[in-house]
């Protein structure tokens, strides 16, 4: 087992709503939004289709957990602490 010099804490829970309407939950430490096409290729990188990427430390190793084309995902939101958020109007 590889020991990281960083403590990432517990994985956050993200809700993914796919373009098909399917709802899925994934636990991750890091979510990278798709790059805009205006930024792609600025430093000579090959242009790729924009994609969401989810990473996390699992069993002591930093891993790619999911990558998906931007067109396949409608929304992504962190729902780890949704129960801590007050409703509008202070209820």
């Amino acid at each position: 087992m590889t020991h990281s010099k960083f403590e990432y804490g517990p994985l956050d829970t993200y809700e993914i709503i796919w373009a098909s309407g399917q709802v899925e939950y994934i636990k991750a430490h890091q979510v990278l939004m798709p790059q805009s096409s205006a930024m792609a290729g600025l430093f000579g990188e090959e242009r790729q289709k924009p994609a969401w990427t989810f990473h996390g430390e699992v069993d002591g190793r930093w891993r790619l957990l999911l990558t998906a084309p931007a067109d396949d995902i409608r929304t992504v939101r962190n729902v780890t602490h949704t129960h801590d958020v007050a409703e509008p109007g202070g209820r």
Side-chain angles (χ1 to χ4, degrees), residues 36-42 44-49:
S36 73
S37 58
M39 295 297 290
L42 274 183
E45 303 101 5
E46 193 174 312
R47 289 182 187 243
Q48 297 177 341
K49 281 189 118 176

Side-chain angles (χ1 to χ4, degrees), residues 20-76:
S20 66
Q22 178 183 343
V23 178
E24 184 174 347
Y25 296 90
I26 186 170
K27 291 186 176 283
H29 281 115
Q30 179 186 64
V31 178
L32 300 175
M33 295 173 54
Q35 269 191 356
S36 73
S37 58
M39 295 297 290
L42 274 183
F43 302 103
E45 303 101 5
E46 193 174 312
R47 289 182 187 243
Q48 297 177 341
K49 281 189 118 176
W52 286 90
T53 56
F54 297 78
H55 296 91
E57 183 181 5
V58 178
D59 295 330
R61 297 190 65 190
W62 191 251
R63 300 178 187 269
L64 173 63
L65 303 173
L66 173 71
T67 185
D71 293 343
D72 289 353
I73 293 181
R74 188 181 309 159
T75 63
V76 174

Side-chain angles (χ1 to χ4, degrees), residues 3-9 57:
H3 292 284
S4 172
K5 57 185 165 187
F6 300 102
E7 175 55 49
Y8 296 103
E57 183 181 5

